[in-house]
PDB file of all heavy atoms in Angstrom:
ATOM      1  N   GLU A  61     -10.157  21.267  19.808  1.00  0.00           N
ATOM      2  CA  GLU A  61     -11.069  22.250  19.190  1.00  0.00           C
ATOM      3  C   GLU A  61     -11.536  21.732  17.831  1.00  0.00           C
ATOM      4  O   GLU A  61     -12.716  21.887  17.477  1.00  0.00           O
ATOM      5  CB  GLU A  61     -10.361  23.601  19.040  1.00  0.00           C
ATOM      6  CG  GLU A  61     -11.141  24.652  18.267  1.00  0.00           C
ATOM      7  CD  GLU A  61     -12.456  25.051  18.910  1.00  0.00           C
ATOM      8  OE1 GLU A  61     -12.638  24.790  20.120  1.00  0.00           O
ATOM      9  OE2 GLU A  61     -13.328  25.605  18.205  1.00  0.00           O
ATOM     10  N   ALA A  62     -10.641  21.120  17.081  1.00  0.00           N
ATOM     11  CA  ALA A  62     -11.026  20.579  15.784  1.00  0.00           C
ATOM     12  C   ALA A  62     -12.063  19.469  15.954  1.00  0.00           C
ATOM     13  O   ALA A  62     -13.042  19.388  15.205  1.00  0.00           O
ATOM     14  CB  ALA A  62      -9.797  20.062  15.033  1.00  0.00           C
ATOM     15  N   MET A  63     -11.871  18.613  16.931  1.00  0.00           N
ATOM     16  CA  MET A  63     -12.825  17.529  17.166  1.00  0.00           C
ATOM     17  C   MET A  63     -14.168  18.091  17.613  1.00  0.00           C
ATOM     18  O   MET A  63     -15.230  17.584  17.244  1.00  0.00           O
ATOM     19  CB  MET A  63     -12.288  16.550  18.217  1.00  0.00           C
ATOM     20  CG  MET A  63     -11.067  15.760  17.773  1.00  0.00           C
ATOM     21  SD  MET A  63     -11.328  14.774  16.275  1.00  0.00           S
ATOM     22  CE  MET A  63     -12.546  13.592  16.842  1.00  0.00           C
ATOM     23  N   SER A  64     -14.124  19.151  18.428  1.00  0.00           N
ATOM     24  CA  SER A  64     -15.369  19.784  18.869  1.00  0.00           C
ATOM     25  C   SER A  64     -16.139  20.325  17.674  1.00  0.00           C
ATOM     26  O   SER A  64     -17.364  20.166  17.563  1.00  0.00           O
ATOM     27  CB  SER A  64     -15.039  20.909  19.853  1.00  0.00           C
ATOM     28  OG  SER A  64     -16.208  21.611  20.230  1.00  0.00           O
ATOM     29  N   ARG A  65     -15.428  20.967  16.761  1.00  0.00           N
ATOM     30  CA  ARG A  65     -16.100  21.521  15.572  1.00  0.00           C
ATOM     31  C   ARG A  65     -16.588  20.393  14.655  1.00  0.00           C
ATOM     32  O   ARG A  65     -17.638  20.518  14.021  1.00  0.00           O
ATOM     33  CB  ARG A  65     -15.141  22.440  14.822  1.00  0.00           C
ATOM     34  CG  ARG A  65     -14.764  23.695  15.617  1.00  0.00           C
ATOM     35  CD  ARG A  65     -13.960  24.665  14.782  1.00  0.00           C
ATOM     36  NE  ARG A  65     -13.419  25.743  15.600  1.00  0.00           N
ATOM     37  CZ  ARG A  65     -12.757  26.793  15.102  1.00  0.00           C
ATOM     38  NH1 ARG A  65     -12.578  26.910  13.800  1.00  0.00           N
ATOM     39  NH2 ARG A  65     -12.287  27.719  15.920  1.00  0.00           N
ATOM     40  N   ALA A  66     -15.831  19.317  14.587  1.00  0.00           N
ATOM     41  CA  ALA A  66     -16.275  18.183  13.772  1.00  0.00           C
ATOM     42  C   ALA A  66     -17.572  17.605  14.343  1.00  0.00           C
ATOM     43  O   ALA A  66     -18.492  17.265  13.610  1.00  0.00           O
ATOM     44  CB  ALA A  66     -15.180  17.106  13.732  1.00  0.00           C
ATOM     45  N   MET A  67     -17.622  17.537  15.661  1.00  0.00           N
ATOM     46  CA  MET A  67     -18.829  17.034  16.305  1.00  0.00           C
ATOM     47  C   MET A  67     -20.016  17.932  15.999  1.00  0.00           C
ATOM     48  O   MET A  67     -21.124  17.478  15.738  1.00  0.00           O
ATOM     49  CB  MET A  67     -18.573  16.987  17.819  1.00  0.00           C
ATOM     50  CG  MET A  67     -19.286  15.899  18.557  1.00  0.00           C
ATOM     51  SD  MET A  67     -18.808  15.888  20.293  1.00  0.00           S
ATOM     52  CE  MET A  67     -17.042  15.585  20.179  1.00  0.00           C
ATOM     53  N   ALA A  68     -19.771  19.242  16.040  1.00  0.00           N
ATOM     54  CA  ALA A  68     -20.837  20.193  15.790  1.00  0.00           C
ATOM     55  C   ALA A  68     -21.295  20.147  14.341  1.00  0.00           C
ATOM     56  O   ALA A  68     -22.458  20.414  14.046  1.00  0.00           O
ATOM     57  CB  ALA A  68     -20.383  21.598  16.148  1.00  0.00           C
ATOM     58  N   GLY A  69     -20.388  19.814  13.441  1.00  0.00           N
ATOM     59  CA  GLY A  69     -20.715  19.871  12.021  1.00  0.00           C
ATOM     60  C   GLY A  69     -21.010  18.543  11.376  1.00  0.00           C
ATOM     61  O   GLY A  69     -21.277  18.469  10.174  1.00  0.00           O
ATOM     62  N   ILE A  70     -21.001  17.453  12.157  1.00  0.00           N
ATOM     63  CA  ILE A  70     -21.131  16.118  11.574  1.00  0.00           C
ATOM     64  C   ILE A  70     -22.475  15.918  10.893  1.00  0.00           C
ATOM     65  O   ILE A  70     -22.583  15.195   9.898  1.00  0.00           O
ATOM     66  CB  ILE A  70     -20.895  15.028  12.650  1.00  0.00           C
ATOM     67  CG1 ILE A  70     -20.662  13.669  12.001  1.00  0.00           C
ATOM     68  CG2 ILE A  70     -22.056  14.972  13.637  1.00  0.00           C
ATOM     69  CD1 ILE A  70     -19.390  13.585  11.195  1.00  0.00           C
ATOM     70  N   GLU A  71     -23.503  16.582  11.380  1.00  0.00           N
ATOM     71  CA  GLU A  71     -24.823  16.450  10.748  1.00  0.00           C
ATOM     72  C   GLU A  71     -24.789  16.979   9.312  1.00  0.00           C
ATOM     73  O   GLU A  71     -25.463  16.476   8.428  1.00  0.00           O
ATOM     74  CB  GLU A  71     -25.869  17.203  11.553  1.00  0.00           C
ATOM     75  CG  GLU A  71     -26.202  16.590  12.904  1.00  0.00           C
ATOM     76  CD  GLU A  71     -27.201  15.450  12.804  1.00  0.00           C
ATOM     77  OE1 GLU A  71     -27.884  15.338  11.768  1.00  0.00           O
ATOM     78  OE2 GLU A  71     -27.285  14.660  13.752  1.00  0.00           O
ATOM     79  N   GLY A  72     -24.028  18.038   9.118  1.00  0.00           N
ATOM     80  CA  GLY A  72     -23.994  18.661   7.809  1.00  0.00           C
ATOM     81  C   GLY A  72     -22.927  18.114   6.890  1.00  0.00           C
ATOM     82  O   GLY A  72     -22.880  18.469   5.711  1.00  0.00           O
ATOM     83  N   PHE A  73     -22.068  17.219   7.396  1.00  0.00           N
ATOM     84  CA  PHE A  73     -21.009  16.667   6.557  1.00  0.00           C
ATOM     85  C   PHE A  73     -21.613  15.707   5.541  1.00  0.00           C
ATOM     86  O   PHE A  73     -22.435  14.855   5.878  1.00  0.00           O
ATOM     87  CB  PHE A  73     -19.988  15.916   7.422  1.00  0.00           C
ATOM     88  CG  PHE A  73     -19.022  15.085   6.630  1.00  0.00           C
ATOM     89  CD1 PHE A  73     -17.982  15.687   5.952  1.00  0.00           C
ATOM     90  CD2 PHE A  73     -19.173  13.710   6.555  1.00  0.00           C
ATOM     91  CE1 PHE A  73     -17.091  14.918   5.210  1.00  0.00           C
ATOM     92  CE2 PHE A  73     -18.288  12.938   5.818  1.00  0.00           C
ATOM     93  CZ  PHE A  73     -17.247  13.549   5.145  1.00  0.00           C
ATOM     94  N   SER A  74     -21.200  15.863   4.290  1.00  0.00           N
ATOM     95  CA  SER A  74     -21.680  14.926   3.269  1.00  0.00           C
ATOM     96  C   SER A  74     -20.467  14.234   2.664  1.00  0.00           C
ATOM     97  O   SER A  74     -19.476  14.879   2.338  1.00  0.00           O
ATOM     98  CB  SER A  74     -22.468  15.654   2.190  1.00  0.00           C
ATOM     99  OG  SER A  74     -21.656  16.597   1.531  1.00  0.00           O
ATOM    100  N   PRO A  75     -20.501  12.909   2.543  1.00  0.00           N
ATOM    101  CA  PRO A  75     -19.370  12.185   1.989  1.00  0.00           C
ATOM    102  C   PRO A  75     -19.118  12.597   0.545  1.00  0.00           C
ATOM    103  O   PRO A  75     -19.934  12.363  -0.312  1.00  0.00           O
ATOM    104  CB  PRO A  75     -19.808  10.717   2.066  1.00  0.00           C
ATOM    105  CG  PRO A  75     -20.940  10.697   3.041  1.00  0.00           C
ATOM    106  CD  PRO A  75     -21.615  12.031   2.905  1.00  0.00           C
ATOM    107  N   ARG A  76     -17.995  13.246   0.349  1.00  0.00           N
ATOM    108  CA  ARG A  76     -17.630  13.599  -1.017  1.00  0.00           C
ATOM    109  C   ARG A  76     -16.365  12.830  -1.367  1.00  0.00           C
ATOM    110  O   ARG A  76     -15.906  12.018  -0.592  1.00  0.00           O
ATOM    111  CB  ARG A  76     -17.396  15.114  -1.100  1.00  0.00           C
ATOM    112  CG  ARG A  76     -18.649  15.954  -0.934  1.00  0.00           C
ATOM    113  CD  ARG A  76     -18.304  17.425  -1.143  1.00  0.00           C
ATOM    114  NE  ARG A  76     -17.460  17.911  -0.064  1.00  0.00           N
ATOM    115  CZ  ARG A  76     -17.925  18.569   0.994  1.00  0.00           C
ATOM    116  NH1 ARG A  76     -19.210  18.787   1.124  1.00  0.00           N
ATOM    117  NH2 ARG A  76     -17.106  18.996   1.932  1.00  0.00           N
ATOM    118  N   ASP A  77     -15.817  13.121  -2.499  1.00  0.00           N
ATOM    119  CA  ASP A  77     -14.619  12.387  -2.905  1.00  0.00           C
ATOM    120  C   ASP A  77     -13.483  12.544  -1.896  1.00  0.00           C
ATOM    121  O   ASP A  77     -12.675  11.658  -1.729  1.00  0.00           O
ATOM    122  CB  ASP A  77     -14.135  12.884  -4.279  1.00  0.00           C
ATOM    123  CG  ASP A  77     -15.076  12.455  -5.387  1.00  0.00           C
ATOM    124  OD1 ASP A  77     -15.857  11.499  -5.152  1.00  0.00           O
ATOM    125  OD2 ASP A  77     -15.045  13.058  -6.453  1.00  0.00           O
ATOM    126  N   ALA A  78     -13.448  13.670  -1.202  1.00  0.00           N
ATOM    127  CA  ALA A  78     -12.319  13.924  -0.320  1.00  0.00           C
ATOM    128  C   ALA A  78     -12.352  13.067   0.932  1.00  0.00           C
ATOM    129  O   ALA A  78     -11.330  12.720   1.471  1.00  0.00           O
ATOM    130  CB  ALA A  78     -12.269  15.398   0.044  1.00  0.00           C
ATOM    131  N   GLY A  79     -13.537  12.743   1.462  1.00  0.00           N
ATOM    132  CA  GLY A  79     -13.628  11.880   2.642  1.00  0.00           C
ATOM    133  C   GLY A  79     -13.564  12.630   3.951  1.00  0.00           C
ATOM    134  O   GLY A  79     -13.202  13.804   4.025  1.00  0.00           O
ATOM    135  N   ILE A  80     -13.867  11.894   4.999  1.00  0.00           N
ATOM    136  CA  ILE A  80     -14.013  12.531   6.309  1.00  0.00           C
ATOM    137  C   ILE A  80     -12.664  12.916   6.915  1.00  0.00           C
ATOM    138  O   ILE A  80     -12.562  13.878   7.672  1.00  0.00           O
ATOM    139  CB  ILE A  80     -14.829  11.626   7.267  1.00  0.00           C
ATOM    140  CG1 ILE A  80     -15.333  12.422   8.455  1.00  0.00           C
ATOM    141  CG2 ILE A  80     -14.011  10.414   7.706  1.00  0.00           C
ATOM    142  CD1 ILE A  80     -16.391  11.713   9.263  1.00  0.00           C
ATOM    143  N   ASP A  81     -11.600  12.164   6.597  1.00  0.00           N
ATOM    144  CA  ASP A  81     -10.276  12.517   7.102  1.00  0.00           C
ATOM    145  C   ASP A  81      -9.877  13.906   6.618  1.00  0.00           C
ATOM    146  O   ASP A  81      -9.403  14.747   7.388  1.00  0.00           O
ATOM    147  CB  ASP A  81      -9.218  11.513   6.634  1.00  0.00           C
ATOM    148  CG  ASP A  81      -9.289  10.210   7.402  1.00  0.00           C
ATOM    149  OD1 ASP A  81     -10.294   9.976   8.087  1.00  0.00           O
ATOM    150  OD2 ASP A  81      -8.330   9.418   7.313  1.00  0.00           O
ATOM    151  N   ALA A  82     -10.066  14.148   5.328  1.00  0.00           N
ATOM    152  CA  ALA A  82      -9.707  15.453   4.767  1.00  0.00           C
ATOM    153  C   ALA A  82     -10.534  16.547   5.415  1.00  0.00           C
ATOM    154  O   ALA A  82     -10.039  17.643   5.670  1.00  0.00           O
ATOM    155  CB  ALA A  82      -9.930  15.446   3.252  1.00  0.00           C
ATOM    156  N   TRP A  83     -11.802  16.247   5.664  1.00  0.00           N
ATOM    157  CA  TRP A  83     -12.672  17.232   6.301  1.00  0.00           C
ATOM    158  C   TRP A  83     -12.127  17.633   7.658  1.00  0.00           C
ATOM    159  O   TRP A  83     -12.038  18.826   7.980  1.00  0.00           O
ATOM    160  CB  TRP A  83     -14.083  16.630   6.418  1.00  0.00           C
ATOM    161  CG  TRP A  83     -15.117  17.505   7.027  1.00  0.00           C
ATOM    162  CD1 TRP A  83     -15.594  18.687   6.541  1.00  0.00           C
ATOM    163  CD2 TRP A  83     -15.829  17.248   8.231  1.00  0.00           C
ATOM    164  NE1 TRP A  83     -16.560  19.187   7.377  1.00  0.00           N
ATOM    165  CE2 TRP A  83     -16.725  18.321   8.410  1.00  0.00           C
ATOM    166  CE3 TRP A  83     -15.820  16.219   9.176  1.00  0.00           C
ATOM    167  CZ2 TRP A  83     -17.600  18.388   9.506  1.00  0.00           C
ATOM    168  CZ3 TRP A  83     -16.696  16.289  10.247  1.00  0.00           C
ATOM    169  CH2 TRP A  83     -17.566  17.367  10.408  1.00  0.00           C
ATOM    170  N   VAL A  84     -11.741  16.659   8.481  1.00  0.00           N
ATOM    171  CA  VAL A  84     -11.213  16.974   9.815  1.00  0.00           C
ATOM    172  C   VAL A  84      -9.881  17.713   9.716  1.00  0.00           C
ATOM    173  O   VAL A  84      -9.631  18.663  10.468  1.00  0.00           O
ATOM    174  CB  VAL A  84     -11.058  15.690  10.652  1.00  0.00           C
ATOM    175  CG1 VAL A  84     -10.411  16.003  12.003  1.00  0.00           C
ATOM    176  CG2 VAL A  84     -12.416  15.030  10.869  1.00  0.00           C
ATOM    177  N   PHE A  85      -9.035  17.305   8.784  1.00  0.00           N
ATOM    178  CA  PHE A  85      -7.765  18.024   8.618  1.00  0.00           C
ATOM    179  C   PHE A  85      -8.002  19.461   8.176  1.00  0.00           C
ATOM    180  O   PHE A  85      -7.275  20.374   8.575  1.00  0.00           O
ATOM    181  CB  PHE A  85      -6.847  17.290   7.641  1.00  0.00           C
ATOM    182  CG  PHE A  85      -5.961  16.285   8.308  1.00  0.00           C
ATOM    183  CD1 PHE A  85      -6.347  14.963   8.424  1.00  0.00           C
ATOM    184  CD2 PHE A  85      -4.731  16.661   8.837  1.00  0.00           C
ATOM    185  CE1 PHE A  85      -5.543  14.026   9.055  1.00  0.00           C
ATOM    186  CE2 PHE A  85      -3.915  15.739   9.473  1.00  0.00           C
ATOM    187  CZ  PHE A  85      -4.325  14.423   9.585  1.00  0.00           C
ATOM    188  N   GLY A  86      -9.017  19.676   7.361  1.00  0.00           N
ATOM    189  CA  GLY A  86      -9.354  21.038   6.968  1.00  0.00           C
ATOM    190  C   GLY A  86      -9.785  21.874   8.157  1.00  0.00           C
ATOM    191  O   GLY A  86      -9.405  23.037   8.296  1.00  0.00           O
ATOM    192  N   ILE A  87     -10.579  21.258   9.035  1.00  0.00           N
ATOM    193  CA  ILE A  87     -11.003  21.954  10.249  1.00  0.00           C
ATOM    194  C   ILE A  87      -9.790  22.290  11.119  1.00  0.00           C
ATOM    195  O   ILE A  87      -9.657  23.416  11.612  1.00  0.00           O
ATOM    196  CB  ILE A  87     -11.997  21.083  11.048  1.00  0.00           C
ATOM    197  CG1 ILE A  87     -13.296  20.896  10.269  1.00  0.00           C
ATOM    198  CG2 ILE A  87     -12.289  21.702  12.412  1.00  0.00           C
ATOM    199  CD1 ILE A  87     -14.269  19.908  10.910  1.00  0.00           C
ATOM    200  N   LEU A  88      -8.907  21.302  11.291  1.00  0.00           N
ATOM    201  CA  LEU A  88      -7.720  21.517  12.114  1.00  0.00           C
ATOM    202  C   LEU A  88      -6.864  22.641  11.543  1.00  0.00           C
ATOM    203  O   LEU A  88      -6.344  23.490  12.280  1.00  0.00           O
ATOM    204  CB  LEU A  88      -6.909  20.227  12.217  1.00  0.00           C
ATOM    205  CG  LEU A  88      -5.592  20.322  13.009  1.00  0.00           C
ATOM    206  CD1 LEU A  88      -5.858  20.685  14.466  1.00  0.00           C
ATOM    207  CD2 LEU A  88      -4.820  19.006  12.930  1.00  0.00           C
ATOM    208  N   ARG A  89      -6.738  22.638  10.247  1.00  0.00           N
ATOM    209  CA  ARG A  89      -5.937  23.698   9.598  1.00  0.00           C
ATOM    210  C   ARG A  89      -6.518  25.076   9.911  1.00  0.00           C
ATOM    211  O   ARG A  89      -5.777  26.014  10.220  1.00  0.00           O
ATOM    212  CB  ARG A  89      -5.908  23.443   8.102  1.00  0.00           C
ATOM    213  CG  ARG A  89      -5.086  24.411   7.282  1.00  0.00           C
ATOM    214  CD  ARG A  89      -5.052  23.943   5.837  1.00  0.00           C
ATOM    215  NE  ARG A  89      -4.297  24.846   4.990  1.00  0.00           N
ATOM    216  CZ  ARG A  89      -4.854  25.803   4.246  1.00  0.00           C
ATOM    217  NH1 ARG A  89      -6.167  25.977   4.250  1.00  0.00           N
ATOM    218  NH2 ARG A  89      -4.098  26.587   3.490  1.00  0.00           N
TER     219      ARG A  89
END
Side-chain angles (χ1 to χ4, degrees):
Chain A
E61 173 62 18
M63 293 302 295
S64 176
R65 294 187 189 186
M67 212 176 299
I70 195 66
E71 290 278 342
F73 168 76
S74 62
R76 291 184 292 263
D77 289 340
I80 197 167
D81 284 15
W83 181 64
V84 176
F85 270 92
I87 294 173
L88 177 62
R89 182 175 179 263

